[in-house]
Structures are given as C-alpha cells and as structure tokens.
Amino acid sequence: MPPENVLRPFHGVRLKLAKEFIGFIGPDKKFRELAKEAIGDLIPVGSTSAHKTYHALEIRRIRQKILPGLVAEAFRELPPIINFRMSKGGTGKTTVSANVATCFAQCGYKTLVIDGDPQGSLSMQLGFDINRSLTHIGTLLERLSKAQPTQIHDAVVPVYSGGMLDLIPADITLANDSWMISTMGREALLQRLMEQESGFFKQYEVIIIDSAPGASLLTTTFMAASNIITAVVIPEAQSVLALEVLEGNIEEINQSIRRTGPKLGLHIIANRYRQTYKSHNDALEKLGSKYAPYLNDTIIRDFAGFLRETDMSDFSKSAPVLEKEPNSVGARDIIDVTKALIKLYNVKMSAAPSAELAAAA
C-alpha cells in the first residue's frame, strides 16, 4: 500500500469519470472486472462492497493494465514542463494550474507541481499551510549554484499517495532572488537541476510550474527551461493587451538565450468567460483574430466553484474544483483543457514494471 502521509484525504472519482480518464468505452461490468484484476491488491482486505470510487494510483494501474503503447520505465525521459505564466496578475492562472495538475494525476500521470510564486497561492490551494517550514525551488536552485547537495527530496510534499501528485511549495521568501544577480548561467539553473537530479525528475511524467506574474530572474529561469509558455488570459481588454508584454518576454529569451535550437513557443487558455458579457465576446474575437494558432480549443467558463476552492480558516480543507465539484461545468472545462495539454506537450505514461503487473494479475 502507498504511504498515506498526504495533505488531505481524497477518495477518488466515480465510475463515469474514471472510465473517461482511462479512455475505456466498454460496459461498466467489463470495466469493473478489469479494474479488479489491476488493483485488487490496493483494495482493503475483507472489503465486500463494490468499488465506488477510483483514486489516481488506481486509475494509473488500470491504464497500465489495459492500454498498449506505454513507455518502458527504462526509457523514460525528463518530463515536459507546463509553465503557466502571465505578465498580468488576477487572470486565474494559479487556479487553472492547480486544477490541471490535479486532472493530470487523476488521469494516471505522475505529476510534480512547483509553486513558483512567492504568494504561495497554489500551495494553499492544494491544502498546504505556507506558514509551516518548507524548502522552495529557489533554495534548491541556490544550493545547485553553490555546488551544494540540493537535498531535493526534502522539498517535496505529497498531495496524493503513491507519488501521483507531489508539490514543491513556496512562500514569500521565494521573492528573494538577489543571489541570482551574480550567478553565472542563471538562466539555465532549472535545466541543470533537472539534469543533475534526473533520477528524481524522471519518476514524474509531467511538471507543472505556476510562475509569478511580472518579470524576475526566477521567472526567466523557468521560461528558459520550458519549450512552450502556457498563458492564462481573461477575455478583457487589459488582460489581452498584457499578452503583448509576454510575447516580448518570449522574444527576448529567444534572441538572447535560445539563439540556437527550438524557439520558446506560446499557448493560450481563455479563462473566466461569460457569454452574456459583450466585452468578453469582443475580447475573444480579438484573441481569435491575433492568436488563433495558439488558443486552446476549450474556453474555461466563469464558475463560482473556483472561488470556493481555498478554505481560509483551514488550508487542509482546500481542494481544486475537480475534487470538490467533479460534475460541474468548471470541472468539465478543466478536463477538456487538460486533454488538449496532454496532446500539445506529448505527455506519456510509462508502463508498470513487469513484476508489479504480475502481482496485480
């Protein structure tokens, strides 16, 4: 059984969503039979009730059991980075980051979330109290730059059991990046960290970064390690215009840091859309006319449930919409956005070791 020292209990999704996350289109009875073969060892001994919900590790095991073409463990590469970045705050970037990360995990992908914003909003949204002691990504990069042991494992906080969703949290001390000013090759620090600690990072299949709004040395480091920047935009004039600032940041990196090799790209997710607002429709038309090749096909609708995610009195009760209200329109949009990101970033699941499959059979 996986360790249970997670931030909060989450008992999984019901059958309909589990089938969708796995990509199984057969009858429910057949699915339950396959599930029992794949996860029988995860079901408590003596349990006589039908399996009502499926958590992330169970969904992973079922996918590994029934889907062909998974990547062999020995050939796993460093995972893709989905860097959520916007030059303007207040667009719902952190909310989308947390929900997409949760959705990746619930689809069976081992997911690492890096909170790259000193406000620590993503950490709180995933149930972590940022007033507790923590080691953030800035500390890891500083240790690397000084040739010190990174002790990266000490930074990880489990959100879901079985390593399905892990968090490297942040707090206000992340804002102190003055040590980077005189650091040689600072733009390549995250890439160097991933290469030096490749054994750690290769246990995941996708990395989600919630970058801070505005420009800083740290956000530049995150961008330099990415291949695509995923911007979250509200369909309002100031938010759409702020994309031009982000485009400038991307162009600067392509000119000064990535002069050779693949250029840093852009992907855009429209968020908090209200169909009844003329201004939103006008802004979407502007987005479509200028950025059509970069737009995610799913527009995330304005949904009050996103405002109910963070519990201000008890962080342990905070959770993304996908957990709290999985049948809502907000959850539906997040699922569709995540499906598009899986294709865009070519996120791949590794096959289970043969011994594990044999034990589950």
Side-chain angles (χ1 to χ4, degrees):
M1 292 291 291
E4 295 301 327
N5 56 336
V6 292
L7 290 181
R8 63 181 186 280
F10 175 59
H11 302 294
V13 297
R14 293 191 177 275
L15 178 66
K16 182 179 178 181
L17 266 185
K19 289 175 65 177
E20 179 177 355
F21 290 155
I22 291 166
F24 184 84
I25 58 176
D28 293 353
K29 182 178 180 181
K30 181 62 175 177
F31 178 82
R32 290 192 179 97
E33 291 173 355
L34 291 169
K36 187 175 181 180
E37 293 177 9
I39 62 174
D41 61 320
L42 298 180
I43 300 174
V45 176
S47 175
T48 57
S49 61
H51 206 84
K52 299 295 186 182
T53 58
Y54 300 83
H55 60 71
L57 182 58
E58 292 175 327
I59 288 174
R60 176 180 181 82
R61 291 276 290 273
I62 298 169
R63 289 191 69 177
Q64 290 174 326
K65 178 77 174 179
I66 68 177
L67 294 183
L70 301 181
V71 180
E73 186 83 17
F75 297 99
R76 184 186 293 181
E77 299 177 346
L78 285 169
I81 296 172
I82 301 181
N83 185 352
F84 287 93
R85 170 92 170 86
M86 189 56 193
S87 53
K88 180 183 183 302
T91 64
K93 169 182 58 62
T94 295
T95 297
V96 175
S97 302
N99 276 278
V100 165
T102 302
C103 192
F104 266 108
Q106 291 185 15
C107 286
Y109 297 97
K110 288 197 170 186
T111 306
L112 175 66
V113 185
I114 298 175
D115 193 342
D117 190 336
Q119 295 180 79
S121 299
L122 183 140
S123 301
M124 291 186 287
Q125 196 165 332
L126 291 178
F128 182 81
D129 183 354
I130 62 173
N131 295 311
R132 292 164 50 185
S133 175
L134 60 86
T135 300
H136 52 60
I137 188 67
T139 302
L140 299 177
L141 296 178
E142 184 175 10
R143 289 171 182 170
L144 177 71
S145 72
K146 296 177 179 179
Q148 299 172 349
T150 63
Q151 299 176 312
I152 193 168
H153 293 277
D154 294 340
V156 175
V157 176
V159 181
Y160 288 173
S161 61
M164 293 305 302
L165 181 60
D166 286 341
L167 166 70
I168 296 180
D171 63 11
I172 193 61
T173 61
L174 183 63
N176 181 18
D177 60 1
S178 57
W179 62 269
M180 298 183 72
I181 295 175
S182 59
T183 301
M184 296 292 293
R186 57 179 178 252
E187 297 87 357
L189 277 176
L190 181 56
Q191 187 61 44
R192 283 174 52 198
L193 179 68
M194 292 183 66
E195 291 170 356
Q196 177 174 306
E197 302 288 356
S198 62
F200 168 82
F201 286 104
K202 283 184 178 181
Q203 68 183 305
Y204 302 102
E205 286 142 351
V206 63
I207 297 172
I208 307 289
I209 299 179
D210 180 35
S211 290
S216 70
L217 296 175
L218 194 60
T219 56
T220 298
T221 301
F222 294 154
M223 291 177 73
S226 308
N227 288 324
I228 303 171
I229 299 301
T230 295
V232 178
V233 182
I234 296 176
E236 296 175 357
Q238 289 189 353
S239 183
V240 174
L241 291 174
L243 275 173
E244 297 180 2
V245 177
L246 182 58
E247 282 186 296
N249 296 155
I250 292 173
E251 181 60 25
E252 183 179 351
I253 287 176
N254 284 333
Q255 293 290 337
S256 61
I257 300 174
R258 303 176 71 136
R259 288 175 296 218
T260 60
K263 297 297 183 181
L264 183 60
L266 174 66
H267 184 65
I268 301 170
I269 298 172
N271 186 37
R272 293 181 182 169
Y273 170 63
R274 289 194 179 186
Q275 189 177 11
T276 56
Y277 283 15
K278 182 178 183 301
S279 59
H280 279 204
N281 291 308
D282 291 344
L284 275 183
E285 185 177 348
K286 173 74 172 178
L287 274 172
S289 63
K290 186 173 181 180
Y291 298 104
Y294 312 110
L295 273 175
N296 194 294
D297 290 338
T298 297
I299 298 171
I300 301 177
R301 291 163 284 186
D302 190 34
F303 174 58
F306 289 123
L307 302 177
R308 295 190 285 267
E309 293 180 324
T310 302
D311 190 310
M312 292 185 291
S313 60
D314 185 352
F315 292 121
S316 67
K317 295 180 180 179
S318 299
V321 155
L322 204 60
E323 291 185 20
K324 286 190 170 184
E325 303 177 56
N327 298 315
S328 64
V329 295
R332 179 71 263 164
D333 291 344
I334 290 296
I335 292 168
D336 291 340
V337 162
T338 303
K339 288 180 178 179
L341 293 175
I342 289 171
K343 293 180 180 179
L344 176 66
Y345 284 86
N346 193 27
V347 181
K348 297 179 180 179
M349 182 180 295
S350 63
S354 56
E356 183 179 345
L357 284 178

Short mmCIF file of all heavy atoms in Angstrom, two decimals, residues 183-230:
data_model
loop_
_atom_site.label_atom_id
_atom_site.label_comp_id
_atom_site.label_asym_id
_atom_site.label_seq_id
_atom_site.Cartn_x
_atom_site.Cartn_y
_atom_site.Cartn_z
N THR A 183 25.11 35.23 -10.34
CA THR A 183 25.27 33.81 -10.64
C THR A 183 25.49 33.60 -12.13
O THR A 183 24.69 34.05 -12.96
CB THR A 183 24.03 33.01 -10.20
OG1 THR A 183 23.84 33.19 -8.79
CG2 THR A 183 24.19 31.53 -10.50
N MET A 184 26.57 32.91 -12.48
CA MET A 184 26.85 32.62 -13.87
C MET A 184 25.85 31.59 -14.40
O MET A 184 25.54 30.61 -13.73
CB MET A 184 28.28 32.08 -14.01
CG MET A 184 29.36 33.08 -13.64
SD MET A 184 29.44 34.46 -14.81
CE MET A 184 30.03 33.60 -16.28
N GLY A 185 25.36 31.83 -15.61
CA GLY A 185 24.45 30.89 -16.24
C GLY A 185 23.16 30.68 -15.49
O GLY A 185 22.60 29.59 -15.48
N ARG A 186 22.68 31.75 -14.84
CA ARG A 186 21.48 31.62 -14.01
C ARG A 186 20.25 31.18 -14.79
O ARG A 186 19.38 30.51 -14.26
CB ARG A 186 21.20 32.93 -13.29
CG ARG A 186 21.03 34.14 -14.19
CD ARG A 186 20.72 35.39 -13.41
NE ARG A 186 20.61 36.55 -14.28
CZ ARG A 186 21.50 37.53 -14.35
NH1 ARG A 186 22.59 37.48 -13.59
NH2 ARG A 186 21.32 38.55 -15.17
N GLU A 187 20.18 31.57 -16.07
CA GLU A 187 19.01 31.20 -16.87
C GLU A 187 18.89 29.70 -17.05
O GLU A 187 17.80 29.18 -17.30
CB GLU A 187 19.06 31.88 -18.24
CG GLU A 187 19.00 33.40 -18.21
CD GLU A 187 20.37 34.04 -18.04
OE1 GLU A 187 21.36 33.26 -17.90
OE2 GLU A 187 20.46 35.28 -18.05
N ALA A 188 19.99 28.98 -16.94
CA ALA A 188 19.98 27.53 -17.17
C ALA A 188 19.89 26.73 -15.89
O ALA A 188 20.00 25.51 -15.92
CB ALA A 188 21.25 27.13 -17.95
N LEU A 189 19.64 27.38 -14.75
CA LEU A 189 19.70 26.68 -13.47
C LEU A 189 18.65 25.58 -13.35
O LEU A 189 18.94 24.48 -12.86
CB LEU A 189 19.54 27.68 -12.32
CG LEU A 189 20.81 28.42 -11.89
CD1 LEU A 189 20.49 29.44 -10.80
CD2 LEU A 189 21.87 27.44 -11.40
N LEU A 190 17.42 25.84 -13.78
CA LEU A 190 16.40 24.81 -13.64
C LEU A 190 16.71 23.62 -14.54
O LEU A 190 16.55 22.47 -14.13
CB LEU A 190 15.01 25.37 -13.97
CG LEU A 190 13.86 24.35 -13.84
CD1 LEU A 190 13.82 23.74 -12.45
CD2 LEU A 190 12.52 24.99 -14.19
N GLN A 191 17.17 23.90 -15.74
CA GLN A 191 17.55 22.80 -16.63
C GLN A 191 18.70 22.00 -16.04
O GLN A 191 18.71 20.77 -16.10
CB GLN A 191 17.93 23.35 -18.01
CG GLN A 191 18.17 22.29 -19.07
CD GLN A 191 16.94 21.45 -19.33
OE1 GLN A 191 15.83 21.96 -19.44
NE2 GLN A 191 17.12 20.13 -19.43
N ARG A 192 19.67 22.69 -15.44
CA ARG A 192 20.79 22.00 -14.80
C ARG A 192 20.31 21.15 -13.63
O ARG A 192 20.79 20.03 -13.41
CB ARG A 192 21.83 23.01 -14.34
CG ARG A 192 22.72 23.58 -15.45
CD ARG A 192 23.61 24.69 -14.90
NE ARG A 192 24.34 24.26 -13.70
CZ ARG A 192 24.91 25.10 -12.84
NH1 ARG A 192 24.80 26.42 -13.03
NH2 ARG A 192 25.57 24.64 -11.79
N LEU A 193 19.37 21.70 -12.85
CA LEU A 193 18.83 20.95 -11.72
C LEU A 193 18.15 19.68 -12.20
O LEU A 193 18.34 18.60 -11.61
CB LEU A 193 17.83 21.82 -10.95
CG LEU A 193 17.16 21.15 -9.73
CD1 LEU A 193 18.18 20.89 -8.63
CD2 LEU A 193 16.01 22.01 -9.21
N MET A 194 17.39 19.77 -13.27
CA MET A 194 16.69 18.60 -13.79
C MET A 194 17.67 17.55 -14.30
O MET A 194 17.45 16.35 -14.15
CB MET A 194 15.71 19.01 -14.89
CG MET A 194 14.54 19.83 -14.37
SD MET A 194 13.34 20.25 -15.65
CE MET A 194 12.70 18.63 -16.08
N GLU A 195 18.76 18.01 -14.89
CA GLU A 195 19.76 17.06 -15.40
C GLU A 195 20.55 16.43 -14.26
O GLU A 195 20.80 15.22 -14.26
CB GLU A 195 20.69 17.79 -16.37
CG GLU A 195 19.99 18.19 -17.67
CD GLU A 195 20.83 19.11 -18.53
OE1 GLU A 195 21.95 19.50 -18.08
OE2 GLU A 195 20.40 19.45 -19.64
N GLN A 196 20.95 17.24 -13.27
CA GLN A 196 21.72 16.70 -12.15
C GLN A 196 20.87 15.75 -11.30
O GLN A 196 21.37 14.73 -10.83
CB GLN A 196 22.24 17.84 -11.27
CG GLN A 196 23.00 17.34 -10.03
CD GLN A 196 23.64 18.47 -9.25
OE1 GLN A 196 24.39 19.28 -9.80
NE2 GLN A 196 23.34 18.56 -7.95
N GLU A 197 19.60 16.09 -11.12
CA GLU A 197 18.70 15.27 -10.32
C GLU A 197 17.73 14.51 -11.23
O GLU A 197 16.55 14.35 -10.92
CB GLU A 197 17.92 16.14 -9.33
CG GLU A 197 18.78 16.96 -8.38
CD GLU A 197 19.46 16.09 -7.32
OE1 GLU A 197 19.21 14.87 -7.28
OE2 GLU A 197 20.26 16.64 -6.53
N SER A 198 18.25 14.00 -12.33
CA SER A 198 17.38 13.36 -13.32
C SER A 198 16.65 12.15 -12.75
O SER A 198 15.51 11.88 -13.13
CB SER A 198 18.19 12.96 -14.55
OG SER A 198 19.20 12.01 -14.21
N GLY A 199 17.29 11.43 -11.84
CA GLY A 199 16.62 10.28 -11.23
C GLY A 199 15.37 10.69 -10.49
O GLY A 199 14.36 9.98 -10.51
N PHE A 200 15.43 11.85 -9.83
CA PHE A 200 14.25 12.36 -9.13
C PHE A 200 13.17 12.79 -10.11
O PHE A 200 12.01 12.40 -9.99
CB PHE A 200 14.66 13.54 -8.24
CG PHE A 200 13.49 14.32 -7.70
CD1 PHE A 200 12.81 13.88 -6.58
CD2 PHE A 200 13.09 15.50 -8.31
CE1 PHE A 200 11.73 14.60 -6.08
CE2 PHE A 200 12.00 16.22 -7.82
CZ PHE A 200 11.33 15.77 -6.70
N PHE A 201 13.54 13.59 -11.11
CA PHE A 201 12.54 14.15 -12.02
C PHE A 201 11.95 13.10 -12.95
O PHE A 201 10.79 13.21 -13.36
CB PHE A 201 13.15 15.30 -12.83
CG PHE A 201 13.34 16.56 -12.04
CD1 PHE A 201 14.60 16.94 -11.59
CD2 PHE A 201 12.26 17.36 -11.71
CE1 PHE A 201 14.77 18.10 -10.84
CE2 PHE A 201 12.42 18.52 -10.97
CZ PHE A 201 13.68 18.90 -10.53
N LYS A 202 12.71 12.07 -13.26
CA LYS A 202 12.20 11.06 -14.18
C LYS A 202 11.13 10.16 -13.57
O LYS A 202 10.48 9.39 -14.27
CB LYS A 202 13.35 10.20 -14.71
CG LYS A 202 14.18 10.88 -15.79
CD LYS A 202 15.25 9.94 -16.32
CE LYS A 202 16.06 10.59 -17.43
NZ LYS A 202 17.10 9.68 -17.97
N GLN A 203 10.92 10.27 -12.27
CA GLN A 203 9.84 9.50 -11.67
C GLN A 203 8.48 10.11 -12.00
O GLN A 203 7.43 9.48 -11.80
CB GLN A 203 10.02 9.41 -10.16
CG GLN A 203 9.84 10.72 -9.42
CD GLN A 203 10.10 10.61 -7.94
OE1 GLN A 203 9.49 9.78 -7.26
NE2 GLN A 203 11.02 11.41 -7.43
N TYR A 204 8.50 11.35 -12.53
CA TYR A 204 7.26 12.03 -12.91
C TYR A 204 7.11 12.01 -14.44
O TYR A 204 8.08 11.86 -15.17
CB TYR A 204 7.27 13.47 -12.41
CG TYR A 204 7.43 13.58 -10.92
CD1 TYR A 204 8.67 13.92 -10.36
CD2 TYR A 204 6.37 13.31 -10.06
CE1 TYR A 204 8.84 13.99 -8.99
CE2 TYR A 204 6.54 13.39 -8.68
CZ TYR A 204 7.77 13.73 -8.15
OH TYR A 204 7.94 13.80 -6.80
N GLU A 205 5.88 12.22 -14.88
CA GLU A 205 5.60 12.26 -16.32
C GLU A 205 5.23 13.65 -16.81
O GLU A 205 5.18 13.89 -18.01
CB GLU A 205 4.51 11.24 -16.64
CG GLU A 205 5.05 9.83 -16.59
CD GLU A 205 4.10 8.80 -16.02
OE1 GLU A 205 3.04 9.19 -15.48
OE2 GLU A 205 4.41 7.60 -16.09
N VAL A 206 5.00 14.56 -15.88
CA VAL A 206 4.75 15.95 -16.25
C VAL A 206 5.06 16.83 -15.05
O VAL A 206 4.89 16.43 -13.90
CB VAL A 206 3.27 16.15 -16.71
CG1 VAL A 206 2.30 15.83 -15.58
CG2 VAL A 206 3.04 17.54 -17.26
N ILE A 207 5.58 18.02 -15.35
CA ILE A 207 5.88 19.01 -14.31
C ILE A 207 5.03 20.25 -14.59
O ILE A 207 5.04 20.77 -15.70
CB ILE A 207 7.36 19.40 -14.30
CG1 ILE A 207 8.24 18.19 -13.96
CG2 ILE A 207 7.63 20.53 -13.29
CD1 ILE A 207 9.72 18.45 -14.10
N ILE A 208 4.31 20.71 -13.57
CA ILE A 208 3.51 21.93 -13.67
C ILE A 208 4.20 23.02 -12.86
O ILE A 208 4.52 22.82 -11.69
CB ILE A 208 2.09 21.71 -13.10
CG1 ILE A 208 1.41 20.49 -13.73
CG2 ILE A 208 1.25 22.97 -13.26
CD1 ILE A 208 1.00 20.64 -15.15
N ILE A 209 4.44 24.16 -13.49
CA ILE A 209 5.01 25.31 -12.78
C ILE A 209 4.00 26.45 -12.79
O ILE A 209 3.49 26.83 -13.85
CB ILE A 209 6.33 25.80 -13.42
CG1 ILE A 209 7.40 24.71 -13.39
CG2 ILE A 209 6.84 27.04 -12.69
CD1 ILE A 209 8.71 25.13 -14.02
N ASP A 210 3.70 26.98 -11.62
CA ASP A 210 2.89 28.19 -11.52
C ASP A 210 3.83 29.36 -11.31
O ASP A 210 4.29 29.61 -10.20
CB ASP A 210 1.89 28.07 -10.36
CG ASP A 210 1.01 29.30 -10.23
OD1 ASP A 210 0.68 29.89 -11.28
OD2 ASP A 210 0.67 29.68 -9.09
N SER A 211 4.15 30.06 -12.39
CA SER A 211 5.09 31.18 -12.31
C SER A 211 4.40 32.44 -11.80
O SER A 211 3.20 32.63 -12.01
CB SER A 211 5.70 31.47 -13.69
OG SER A 211 6.57 30.45 -14.09
N ALA A 212 5.19 33.29 -11.15
CA ALA A 212 4.66 34.55 -10.66
C ALA A 212 4.38 35.50 -11.82
O ALA A 212 5.04 35.43 -12.86
CB ALA A 212 5.65 35.19 -9.70
N PRO A 213 3.38 36.39 -11.68
CA PRO A 213 3.18 37.42 -12.70
C PRO A 213 4.34 38.41 -12.68
O PRO A 213 5.06 38.52 -11.69
CB PRO A 213 1.87 38.08 -12.28
CG PRO A 213 1.76 37.82 -10.82
CD PRO A 213 2.41 36.49 -10.58
N GLY A 214 4.52 39.11 -13.76
CA GLY A 214 5.63 40.05 -13.84
C GLY A 214 6.92 39.33 -14.17
O GLY A 214 6.99 38.10 -14.25
N ALA A 215 7.96 40.11 -14.39
CA ALA A 215 9.26 39.55 -14.78
C ALA A 215 10.21 39.55 -13.58
O ALA A 215 10.23 40.48 -12.78
CB ALA A 215 9.86 40.37 -15.91
N SER A 216 10.98 38.47 -13.46
CA SER A 216 12.01 38.37 -12.44
C SER A 216 13.07 37.41 -12.94
O SER A 216 12.89 36.72 -13.95
CB SER A 216 11.42 37.87 -11.11
OG SER A 216 11.04 36.50 -11.22
N LEU A 217 14.19 37.34 -12.23
CA LEU A 217 15.23 36.40 -12.62
C LEU A 217 14.73 34.96 -12.54
O LEU A 217 15.06 34.12 -13.38
CB LEU A 217 16.45 36.59 -11.72
CG LEU A 217 17.16 37.93 -11.81
CD1 LEU A 217 18.28 38.02 -10.78
CD2 LEU A 217 17.73 38.16 -13.20
N LEU A 218 13.90 34.69 -11.54
CA LEU A 218 13.40 33.34 -11.35
C LEU A 218 12.43 32.94 -12.46
O LEU A 218 12.50 31.82 -13.00
CB LEU A 218 12.73 33.21 -9.99
CG LEU A 218 12.45 31.79 -9.50
CD1 LEU A 218 13.74 30.98 -9.38
CD2 LEU A 218 11.72 31.82 -8.15
N THR A 219 11.51 33.85 -12.82
CA THR A 219 10.57 33.52 -13.89
C THR A 219 11.29 33.32 -15.22
O THR A 219 10.90 32.49 -16.03
CB THR A 219 9.49 34.59 -14.04
OG1 THR A 219 10.10 35.87 -14.26
CG2 THR A 219 8.61 34.67 -12.81
N THR A 220 12.36 34.08 -15.42
CA THR A 220 13.16 33.90 -16.64
C THR A 220 13.81 32.52 -16.66
O THR A 220 13.88 31.85 -17.69
CB THR A 220 14.25 34.99 -16.74
OG1 THR A 220 13.61 36.27 -16.81
CG2 THR A 220 15.12 34.79 -17.97
N THR A 221 14.29 32.08 -15.50
CA THR A 221 14.89 30.74 -15.38
C THR A 221 13.86 29.66 -15.72
O THR A 221 14.17 28.69 -16.42
CB THR A 221 15.43 30.53 -13.96
OG1 THR A 221 16.41 31.52 -13.68
CG2 THR A 221 16.05 29.15 -13.81
N PHE A 222 12.65 29.82 -15.22
CA PHE A 222 11.58 28.87 -15.54
C PHE A 222 11.28 28.87 -17.03
O PHE A 222 11.10 27.81 -17.64
CB PHE A 222 10.29 29.22 -14.77
CG PHE A 222 10.40 29.07 -13.28
CD1 PHE A 222 9.59 29.82 -12.44
CD2 PHE A 222 11.28 28.18 -12.70
CE1 PHE A 222 9.66 29.69 -11.06
CE2 PHE A 222 11.38 28.03 -11.32
CZ PHE A 222 10.56 28.79 -10.50
N MET A 223 11.21 30.05 -17.62
CA MET A 223 10.89 30.15 -19.04
C MET A 223 11.98 29.52 -19.90
O MET A 223 11.70 28.84 -20.89
CB MET A 223 10.69 31.61 -19.44
CG MET A 223 9.44 32.24 -18.85
SD MET A 223 9.26 34.00 -19.27
CE MET A 223 8.80 33.89 -21.01
N ALA A 224 13.24 29.73 -19.50
CA ALA A 224 14.36 29.21 -20.29
C ALA A 224 14.38 27.69 -20.32
O ALA A 224 14.89 27.07 -21.26
CB ALA A 224 15.67 29.74 -19.73
N ALA A 225 13.82 27.06 -19.28
CA ALA A 225 13.79 25.59 -19.22
C ALA A 225 12.58 25.00 -19.93
O ALA A 225 12.50 23.78 -20.09
CB ALA A 225 13.80 25.14 -17.76
N SER A 226 11.66 25.84 -20.35
CA SER A 226 10.42 25.38 -20.97
C SER A 226 10.54 25.42 -22.50
O SER A 226 11.40 26.09 -23.05
CB SER A 226 9.24 26.25 -20.52
OG SER A 226 9.18 26.36 -19.11
N ASN A 227 9.66 24.70 -23.16
CA ASN A 227 9.57 24.77 -24.62
C ASN A 227 8.36 25.56 -25.08
O ASN A 227 8.34 26.09 -26.18
CB ASN A 227 9.52 23.36 -25.23
CG ASN A 227 10.87 22.66 -25.14
OD1 ASN A 227 11.92 23.28 -25.27
ND2 ASN A 227 10.83 21.36 -24.90
N ILE A 228 7.35 25.61 -24.22
CA ILE A 228 6.12 26.36 -24.50
C ILE A 228 5.70 27.07 -23.23
O ILE A 228 5.79 26.50 -22.14
CB ILE A 228 4.97 25.44 -24.97
CG1 ILE A 228 5.37 24.63 -26.21
CG2 ILE A 228 3.71 26.23 -25.27
CD1 ILE A 228 4.37 23.55 -26.60
N ILE A 229 5.26 28.30 -23.36
CA ILE A 229 4.68 29.03 -22.23
C ILE A 229 3.16 28.98 -22.38
O ILE A 229 2.62 29.33 -23.43
CB ILE A 229 5.16 30.49 -22.19
CG1 ILE A 229 6.67 30.55 -22.01
CG2 ILE A 229 4.45 31.25 -21.07
CD1 ILE A 229 7.19 29.88 -20.76
N THR A 230 2.47 28.53 -21.33
CA THR A 230 1.02 28.48 -21.36
C THR A 230 0.48 29.67 -20.57
O THR A 230 0.65 29.75 -19.36
CB THR A 230 0.49 27.16 -20.76
OG1 THR A 230 0.91 26.08 -21.60
CG2 THR A 230 -1.02 27.16 -20.69
#
